């Protein structure tokens, strides 16, 4: 006897970047940054600056800082 419940169709997950880095890519040009600087004044949004491209991004919340192990 067949199962009367429908089975959802499986789809492949989107491919992950080949070499993910610990830093997010620049939202303007999409290049991987060497470092990200951030500055916040009381009552103002956080300003992120991606180096070496120099593009900036304003965020209403401070970045979440984590420590990641070095790549093998």
């Amino acid at each position: 006897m067949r199962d009367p419940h429908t089975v959802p169709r499986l789809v492949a997950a989107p491919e992950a970047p080949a070499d993910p880095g610990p830093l997010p890519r620049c939202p303007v040009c999409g290049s991987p940054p060497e470092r990200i600087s951030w500055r916040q004044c009381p009552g103002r949004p956080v300003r992120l600056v991606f180096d070496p491209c120099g593009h900036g991004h304003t965020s209403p919340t401070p970045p979440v800082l984590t420590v990641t192990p070095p790549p093998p």
Side-chain angles (χ1 to χ4, degrees):
M1 184 170 196
R2 289 185 65 190
D3 187 7
H5 302 288
T6 59
V7 177
R9 185 176 176 164
L10 299 176
V11 294
E15 288 188 29
D19 186 20
L23 299 176
R25 293 184 173 270
C26 173
V28 178
C29 65
S31 65
E34 293 177 9
R35 67 180 180 189
I36 299 174
S37 304
W38 65 285
R39 183 173 295 167
Q40 181 180 23
C41 296
R44 308 225 18 186
V46 178
R47 175 85 176 144
L48 303 174
V49 178
F50 294 80
D51 201 24
C53 67
H55 292 123
H57 177 71
T58 303
S59 171
T61 58
V64 176
L65 304 175
T66 60
V67 177
T68 56

